[in-house]
Amino acid sequence: MKQTPIQYLLRTLIYMLRMTVLIVAIYLVMDATDTLAVHYNELLGTRGLILAVALLGISIAYPSYGYVSRTTRASFGADRAAIIRAFGHIGYALHSEESGRMTFRASGIFKRVWNLGDDKIVVRPIDEQTIEVSGLRKEVVQVIYHIAGTTQHSNEE
């Protein structure tokens, strides 16, 4: 599933915000423990500019490698319960089901806040025995692993 330019921009901004919060938190902890090796004036100068440019570059690239679509062998109809259970194992719940696709969202508040609302994973059928899972790379890989293990096991019985 291809990202629209709006999705790409929003995902870039979300990632930049997450990384900025993380960097600020690290600097605050270092300052509180007197382990900060630079003065705040230096962070507002050249060092801060270099850090900001690096953060911007990484944030712009992130949506192209942080979000993926993968296929796995599973029946959208027959393995529906196994698919929902697999998402439950990684902390996601069925949010909606419409026009031949299921949408899952994070069930935990921390995961939702950390992803700033961009926690949607979409499952759609490709054919009778194949589904496509699209969303955050880490979550997609985890759920594909669970789905493949569950449906392979149920197909052997």
Side-chain angles (χ1 to χ4, degrees):
M1 194 176 250
K2 190 85 170 141
Q3 297 180 62
T4 66
I6 299 292
Q7 281 178 322
Y8 197 94
L9 178 63
L10 285 174
R11 289 173 173 171
T12 298
L13 294 174
I14 287 170
Y15 189 74
M16 187 181 313
L17 180 62
R18 284 174 45 192
M19 291 297 99
T20 301
V21 167
L22 185 61
I23 289 170
V24 167
I26 290 169
Y27 277 117
L28 289 175
V29 168
M30 290 174 66
D31 186 45
T33 59
D34 290 328
T35 57
L36 189 61
V38 295
H39 193 271
Y40 285 111
N41 291 338
E42 292 178 76
L43 290 176
L44 297 175
T46 306
R47 288 183 185 206
L49 183 61
I50 291 170
L51 181 62
V53 168
L55 178 63
L56 180 64
I58 292 169
S59 297
I60 289 171
Y62 177 72
S64 62
Y65 68 84
Y67 294 85
V68 295
S69 293
R70 296 286 186 258
T71 59
T72 189
R73 186 173 170 83
S75 172
F76 189 75
D79 295 324
R80 183 179 186 281
I83 292 168
I84 292 172
R85 267 195 317 277
F87 274 95
H89 279 98
I90 67 163
Y92 277 71
L94 183 61
H95 181 261
S96 66
E97 189 170 359
E98 57 201 32
S99 64
R101 60 186 244 172
M102 291 188 278
T103 302
F104 292 85
R105 304 287 307 256
S107 53
I109 189 72
F110 178 74
K111 191 178 277 194
R112 276 217 169 148
V113 169
W114 180 247
N115 290 325
L116 298 174
D118 193 22
D119 58 343
K120 182 171 65 170
I121 299 177
V122 176
V123 178
R124 67 180 189 90
I126 300 295
D127 58 34
E128 291 291 321
Q129 294 297 318
T130 309
I131 60 171
E132 178 186 62
V133 182
S134 302
L136 287 164
R137 177 182 295 273
K138 176 184 156 259
E139 312 295 349
V140 168
V141 170
Q142 286 178 348
V143 81
I144 289 284
Y145 173 77
H146 285 289
I147 291 171
T150 305
T151 57
Q152 181 182 12
H153 177 66
S154 64
N155 290 341
E156 290 174 359
E157 292 177 349

